[in-house]
Amino acid sequence: MKIAGIIVEFNPMHNGHQYLIQRIRKIEKPDIIIAVMSGNFLQRGEPSIVSKWLRTEMALTAGIDLVLELPYHYAVGHANLFAQGAISILSECGITDLYFGSESGDIASFYHTARHLRNEKSKLDLLVQEKLQQGYSYPKAYSLAYDLTHKNETKLLDLSEPNNILGLHYVKVIQEHHSSINAHTILRKGAQHHDQSPHTHTGFASGTSIRNALMNGDDFKSIADKMPNESYKILMRAVNQNQILGWNDFFPLLKYRLMSSSTEELASIYESEEGLEFRAMKAIKETNDFISFVSLMKTKRYTWTRLQRYCCHILVNVSKQKMKSFLAKPHPPYLRLLGISLQGQRYLRYKKDSFSVPLISNVKKSFEDLLRIDIRSADIYDMKTSYSEKKSKPLRYDQENQRFL
Amino acid sequence: MKIAGIIVEFNPMHNGHQYLIQRIRKIEKPDIIIAVMSGNFLQRGEPSIVSKWLRTEMALTAGIDLVLELPYHYAVGHANLFAQGAISILSECGITDLYFGSESGDIASFYHTARHLRNEKSKLDLLVQEKLQQGYSYPKAYSLAYDLTHKNETKLLDLSEPNNILGLHYVKVIQEHHSSINAHTILRKGAQHHDQSPHTHTGFASGTSIRNALMNGDDFKSIADKMPNESYKILMRAVNQNQILGWNDFFPLLKYRLMSSSTEELASIYESEEGLEFRAMKAIKETNDFISFVSLMKTKRYTWTRLQRYCCHILVNVSKQKMKSFLAKPHPPYLRLLGISLQGQRYLRYKKDSFSVPLISNVKKSFEDLLRIDIRSADIYDMKTSYSEKKSKPLRYDQENQRFL
């Protein structure tokens, strides 16, 4: 059997994602495609633009057979943690092949770079420490150190590209776990990840440009061309129900949480480090919007993404202790099913007795403790939607007849 | 010197309050009148309808010389705590005479009842315990026990009346502290405290009826007749600035706080008792408005007021520990000045060296720790107003020329 796995956010699904899925389906001809997808909060430290349930609809209509939620702890984490969680879930699901888009498009470079980093580890660690002491953020320090170790190497990856970085972490995790998963990469076409406008490229619009067009209330037709038709319809449902969300919608709650917490309480939040909590406490009093709030906290030391993730942890009240106890568990601690095709259902039936961790379809009482942070983050997000985490069930989709069951 | 003291909420100031102040001024002829006033959260466990700063304006224009804030810890407390805090502040300010409105109007009954309660204490305590064990709320248990001990007494107070209860606590505190303050009571005229409509009585409308008329968007002219003219103008300013506030405005924050807290965190909140935190956690998931939320928590055991106060403590994140350490301090721990007349200013100048606790005019850095909960409750309230607790200064009023300085 060939079981394909992908790691996604679908924020929202666009033609680039569709291209990847179709390529896998047509050229690689897997028996099923499994996606592990972030929930309502994302790796860049943002609420997703539409609920995970709508994004699951997008995934299923675009040809995914199984959608599993990447728990909050991994999903809103740095690249390494994100990769650890995602690969562990896909591995537990029994994928044989991992596919990811990258700016490089050459899988040999990923294996080669991973090997290089292993060989140069001690040298690299020293250089990273040196750069950190000079006040750089971790990603910047790493990138500078990396540049210094690979001067004469031509086959190494360009790690200033976000998808190259994520892909490299996937490959590293696969290697570290001596996993039999084969990694493949597909060259990303057209738009770069962070391009701002959906119009400037003839290739695929990035999620960022679609989000900006939505937030600015631009002509929605310009978006329609950049997305699969089904995903566009799902997105427009969210538009009509006023459920296109972003940090602005959650900023009052973040502000209230900061205003009503003691510094000790804030210091106990995950990623409160080096007095960052004092910066946050001070900044929140001087601003009434999210962008200025993060700008006020920003220093060379912290990337914007790192600060946004910190904001998520404050909003969701994720303590260092909770995070520590989660990370002390085997990875993954559970599989949370968000959506499934009929084909995926057959696969699960065949597979489910071999899972070493619980497969969770409904948030039953007995799972509440295990899922605490996932439930909480969903409950907070759902204060702005019509969903209820406790009452939601995995979506079932009949791909042949193109309808939800 | 004759220094008069009153204990108020002015939520908002109405003709009944004005009548009390004028009677004191004309008949008792004190040198100055001092009011201790709740901040932005009140004894019944509600946000005040307008900010404490507007209520201070009302107080000064109605003839009060000194307005001091009753700290949150006392203000959002049961009658005994409320009285302890208020009397301790007035006593520190050197009042010679306390005036309060009551349904009884006979000060002898207050002294007599206080004495009776002291004499019957052991009997009463037993009866209260018995009633509590039968599942009654504390106020109800107390009231039933009281009824059983005073069958043949005619001069005892009717303790089903809210102002009689508060007044009795004032007198008890004065007696317990062997204070030289003389207590006086003035018969409340016209409307009962909880009457709903401003039209049904020819006497004075209660605060409740004015608040209801405001919340329902009734004809504001009906309100104008029930308030001093200056207070009405101040109130209308708040109406125009959309700053008439109530629990509905803070419910989303309360809901978020409950959704984002662990049960252990909630259990650490002041007045989380007998598993009330579990009732709150359960109820909040089933409702989207404050009234239904409290209704879902309500049992015979807890009065509505007690539950509303609990909601304030959750919103403001007041822990048992914070409350304990506050109550372990000498009472009062500080005097917080909100407003002052020129006459009041002269009195303060004469008096200030004799204060045994800090007189706080501005929230300076050095007072932040002492005022933590007062600042936090104001900051949360001010998320809905244009005030800033840190930047606010006491209001100064020239009574003779009727203008703020």
Side-chain angles (χ1 to χ4, degrees):
Chain A
M1 263 180 125
K2 185 166 195 167
I3 312 297
I6 60 175
I7 298 163
V8 298
E9 294 199 316
F10 292 155
N11 188 45
M13 158 96 51
H14 55 64
N15 288 344
H17 300 125
Q18 177 79 334
Y19 169 79
L20 175 69
I21 296 166
Q22 284 176 347
R23 239 197 87 144
I24 296 170
R25 177 97 38 229
K26 280 176 194 159
I27 298 176
E28 310 288 337
K29 297 196 170 45
D31 295 276
I32 73 157
I33 305 181
I34 302 176
V36 57
M37 186 179 85
S38 306
N40 290 328
F41 292 89
L42 308 178
Q43 210 245 332
R44 280 176 53 78
E46 290 170 339
S48 58
I49 193 157
V50 295
S51 152
K52 65 183 177 185
W53 298 107
L54 293 177
R55 286 154 50 233
T56 299
E57 285 188 36
M58 292 176 181
L60 291 171
T61 54
I64 305 291
D65 294 298
L66 254 180
V67 185
L68 294 153
E69 180 167 349
L70 186 63
Y72 177 97
H73 315 73
Y74 303 126
V76 190
H78 52 72
N80 186 40
L81 194 53
F82 183 90
Q84 290 257 6
I87 298 292
S88 71
I89 288 172
L90 290 174
S91 179
E92 179 69 27
C93 288
I95 67 160
T96 55
D97 296 82
L98 174 77
Y99 298 87
F100 60 89
S102 69
E103 294 83 1
S104 145
D106 171 31
I107 195 67
S109 301
F110 285 87
Y111 281 100
H112 184 69
T113 305
R115 203 159 40 237
H116 167 82
L117 295 179
R118 238 183 1 261
N119 295 340
E120 301 284 324
K121 188 170 186 309
S122 49
K123 191 167 157 195
L124 204 62
D125 286 352
L126 272 176
L127 285 166
V128 168
Q129 280 311 316
E130 200 175 281
K131 295 295 167 193
L132 282 175
Q133 274 158 24
Q134 288 166 24
Y136 290 105
S137 67
Y138 185 84
K140 186 68 189 174
Y142 194 90
S143 154
L144 290 170
Y146 175 70
D147 286 349
L148 290 170
T149 63
H150 87 304
K151 275 182 187 138
N152 304 317
E153 285 270 9
T154 51
K155 280 184 70 192
L156 291 177
L157 283 171
D158 174 0
L159 289 188
S160 68
E161 296 286 3
N163 291 281
N164 285 352
I165 296 176
L166 277 174
L168 179 64
H169 280 284
Y170 302 153
V171 169
K172 275 176 69 186
V173 173
I174 287 171
Q175 289 189 332
E176 279 161 19
H177 290 83
H178 308 290
S179 163
S180 61
I181 295 170
N182 299 307
H184 311 265
T185 190
I186 291 167
L187 183 68
R188 279 172 63 93
K189 276 196 174 181
Q192 298 302 302
H193 189 61
H194 294 305
D195 281 339
Q196 300 297 309
S197 153
H199 304 290
T200 44
H201 288 80
T202 48
F204 300 137
S206 76
T208 310
S209 67
I210 297 175
R211 290 193 294 278
N212 286 341
L214 275 174
M215 291 294 181
N216 300 336
D218 288 2
D219 181 11
F220 290 145
K221 281 200 182 135
S222 72
I223 301 172
D225 296 339
K226 312 290 175 184
M227 300 176 68
N229 191 30
E230 283 305 316
S231 290
Y232 179 71
K233 282 195 266 178
I234 294 162
L235 188 67
M236 286 307 113
R237 240 166 57 216
V239 168
N240 291 331
Q241 289 170 8
N242 217 358
Q243 293 190 359
I244 299 292
L245 300 175
W247 257 121
N248 283 345
D249 299 286
F250 295 95
F251 182 71
L253 301 181
L254 177 71
K255 177 160 183 162
Y256 161 71
R257 169 59 72 173
L258 280 161
M259 301 286 251
S260 62
S261 298
S262 66
T263 40
E264 300 79 46
E265 285 168 331
L266 199 53
S268 76
I269 294 296
Y270 180 54
E271 295 207 335
S272 278
E273 278 162 21
E274 302 168 332
L276 192 52
E277 64 274 24
F278 294 103
R279 288 189 72 80
M281 284 274 194
K282 187 163 181 292
I284 200 68
K285 287 177 187 147
E286 296 164 24
T287 173
N288 273 313
D289 72 283
F290 185 72
I291 300 286
S292 358
F293 172 60
V294 180
S295 304
L296 280 175
M297 278 202 291
K298 183 84 181 77
T299 63
K300 186 176 159 193
R301 180 55 138 193
Y302 304 108
T303 63
W304 189 270
T305 303
R306 160 80 167 74
L307 292 172
Q308 290 204 146
R309 283 200 295 262
Y310 182 49
C311 292
C312 289
H313 304 326
I314 296 170
L315 180 72
V316 181
N317 189 24
V318 182
S319 66
K320 287 172 179 165
Q321 198 199 341
K322 269 257 179 272
M323 197 67 188
K324 199 173 154 191
S325 78
F326 182 92
L327 294 180
K329 291 191 175 95
H331 300 304
Y334 51 87
L335 298 174
R336 170 82 191 276
L337 187 64
L338 294 179
I340 194 164
S341 71
L342 292 180
Q343 181 67 5
Q345 207 165 335
R346 278 188 288 274
Y347 178 72
L348 263 198
R349 218 171 282 142
Y350 149 78
K351 191 78 191 168
K352 70 175 181 207
D353 291 333
S354 68
F355 290 143
S356 62
V357 296
L359 174 71
I360 301 177
S361 297
N362 306 317
V363 184
K364 285 190 213 127
K365 197 108 191 126
S366 53
F367 293 130
E368 275 183 21
D369 210 48
L370 194 58
L371 292 175
R372 182 71 57 209
I373 297 296
D374 286 345
I375 295 174
R376 188 186 292 168
S377 65
D379 281 347
I380 292 167
Y381 188 92
D382 288 335
M383 285 183 70
K384 309 283 178 183
T385 77
S386 47
Y387 289 96
S388 155
E389 186 66 2
K390 289 275 174 69
K391 290 177 190 154
S392 296
K393 288 179 184 171
L395 302 170
R396 290 170 64 228
Y397 187 67
D398 176 352
Q399 278 183 345
E400 207 168 318
N401 298 302
Q402 298 186 15
R403 62 187 182 93
F404 283 92
L405 302 172
Chain B
M1 264 180 125
K2 185 167 193 165
I3 313 297
I6 60 174
I7 298 163
V8 298
E9 294 200 316
F10 291 156
N11 188 44
M13 157 95 52
H14 55 65
N15 289 344
H17 300 124
Q18 178 80 332
Y19 169 78
L20 176 69
I21 296 166
Q22 284 176 348
R23 239 196 86 142
I24 296 169
R25 178 95 39 228
K26 282 176 193 159
I27 298 177
E28 310 288 338
K29 297 197 170 43
D31 295 276
I32 72 157
I33 305 181
I34 302 176
V36 57
M37 186 179 84
S38 306
N40 290 328
F41 291 88
L42 308 177
Q43 209 244 332
R44 281 176 52 78
E46 289 169 340
S48 58
I49 194 157
V50 295
S51 151
K52 63 183 178 187
W53 298 107
L54 293 177
R55 285 153 50 232
T56 299
E57 286 188 36
M58 293 177 182
L60 292 170
T61 55
I64 304 292
D65 294 298
L66 254 180
V67 186
L68 295 154
E69 180 167 347
L70 185 63
Y72 177 96
H73 316 73
Y74 304 125
V76 190
H78 51 73
N80 185 40
L81 194 53
F82 183 89
Q84 291 257 5
I87 297 293
S88 70
I89 288 172
L90 291 174
S91 179
E92 180 69 26
C93 288
I95 68 159
T96 56
D97 295 83
L98 174 77
Y99 299 87
F100 60 90
S102 69
E103 294 82 1
S104 146
D106 172 30
I107 196 66
S109 301
F110 285 87
Y111 281 100
H112 185 69
T113 305
R115 203 160 39 239
H116 167 82
L117 295 179
R118 239 185 357 264
N119 294 341
E120 301 285 325
K121 189 170 185 308
S122 50
K123 191 167 156 196
L124 205 61
D125 285 353
L126 272 177
L127 285 166
V128 168
Q129 280 311 316
E130 200 175 282
K131 295 295 166 192
L132 281 175
Q133 274 158 24
Q134 288 167 23
Y136 289 105
S137 68
Y138 184 84
K140 185 72 190 168
Y142 194 89
S143 154
L144 289 171
Y146 175 69
D147 286 349
L148 289 170
T149 64
H150 86 306
K151 275 182 188 136
N152 304 316
E153 286 269 10
T154 51
K155 282 183 67 191
L156 292 177
L157 283 171
D158 174 2
L159 289 188
S160 68
E161 296 286 2
N163 291 282
N164 284 353
I165 296 176
L166 277 173
L168 178 66
H169 280 284
Y170 302 152
V171 169
K172 275 176 69 184
V173 173
I174 287 172
Q175 290 190 330
E176 280 161 17
H177 291 80
H178 309 289
S179 163
S180 61
I181 295 170
N182 299 306
H184 310 265
T185 190
I186 291 168
L187 184 66
R188 281 172 62 95
K189 276 197 174 181
Q192 298 301 303
H193 189 60
H194 295 305
D195 282 340
Q196 301 296 310
S197 153
H199 302 290
T200 44
H201 288 80
T202 48
F204 300 138
S206 76
T208 310
S209 67
I210 297 176
R211 290 193 294 279
N212 285 342
L214 275 173
M215 292 293 183
N216 301 336
D218 288 4
D219 180 11
F220 290 143
K221 281 199 183 137
S222 71
I223 301 173
D225 296 339
K226 313 287 175 187
M227 300 176 69
N229 191 29
E230 284 305 316
S231 290
Y232 178 72
K233 283 195 265 179
I234 295 162
L235 189 66
M236 286 306 112
R237 240 166 58 217
V239 168
N240 291 331
Q241 289 171 7
N242 216 358
Q243 292 188 2
I244 300 291
L245 300 176
W247 257 120
N248 283 345
D249 298 287
F250 296 96
F251 181 71
L253 301 181
L254 176 71
K255 177 160 181 161
Y256 161 70
R257 170 58 73 172
L258 280 161
M259 300 285 250
S260 62
S261 298
S262 65
T263 40
E264 300 78 46
E265 284 169 330
L266 199 53
S268 76
I269 295 296
Y270 180 54
E271 296 208 334
S272 278
E273 279 161 22
E274 303 166 332
L276 191 53
E277 65 272 25
F278 295 103
R279 289 189 71 81
M281 284 274 196
K282 188 163 181 289
I284 200 68
K285 286 178 187 146
E286 295 163 25
T287 172
N288 273 314
D289 72 283
F290 185 72
I291 301 285
S292 357
F293 172 59
V294 181
S295 304
L296 279 176
M297 277 202 292
K298 183 86 181 74
T299 61
K300 187 174 157 195
R301 180 57 138 190
Y302 304 108
T303 63
W304 189 272
T305 303
R306 161 79 166 76
L307 292 173
Q308 289 204 149
R309 282 201 294 262
Y310 181 50
C311 291
C312 289
H313 304 327
I314 296 170
L315 180 72
V316 181
N317 189 25
V318 181
S319 66
K320 287 173 180 165
Q321 199 198 339
K322 269 257 179 271
M323 196 68 189
K324 199 174 154 192
S325 78
F326 183 91
L327 294 180
K329 292 191 174 94
H331 300 304
Y334 52 86
L335 298 175
R336 170 81 191 276
L337 187 63
L338 295 179
I340 194 163
S341 71
L342 292 180
Q343 182 67 5
Q345 208 165 336
R346 278 189 288 274
Y347 178 72
L348 263 197
R349 219 171 281 141
Y350 149 78
K351 191 77 190 169
K352 70 175 181 207
D353 291 334
S354 68
F355 291 143
S356 62
V357 296
L359 175 71
I360 301 177
S361 297
N362 305 317
V363 183
K364 285 189 213 127
K365 197 108 192 129
S366 54
F367 292 131
E368 275 182 23
D369 211 47
L370 194 58
L371 291 175
R372 183 70 57 209
I373 296 296
D374 286 345
I375 295 174
R376 188 186 292 168
S377 65
D379 281 347
I380 292 166
Y381 188 90
D382 288 335
M383 285 182 70
K384 309 284 178 183
T385 78
S386 47
Y387 289 97
S388 155
E389 186 67 1
K390 288 276 173 69
K391 291 176 191 156
S392 297
K393 287 179 184 170
L395 302 171
R396 291 170 63 228
Y397 187 67
D398 176 352
Q399 277 184 348
E400 207 167 316
N401 298 302
Q402 298 186 14
R403 60 187 184 94
F404 283 91
L405 303 171

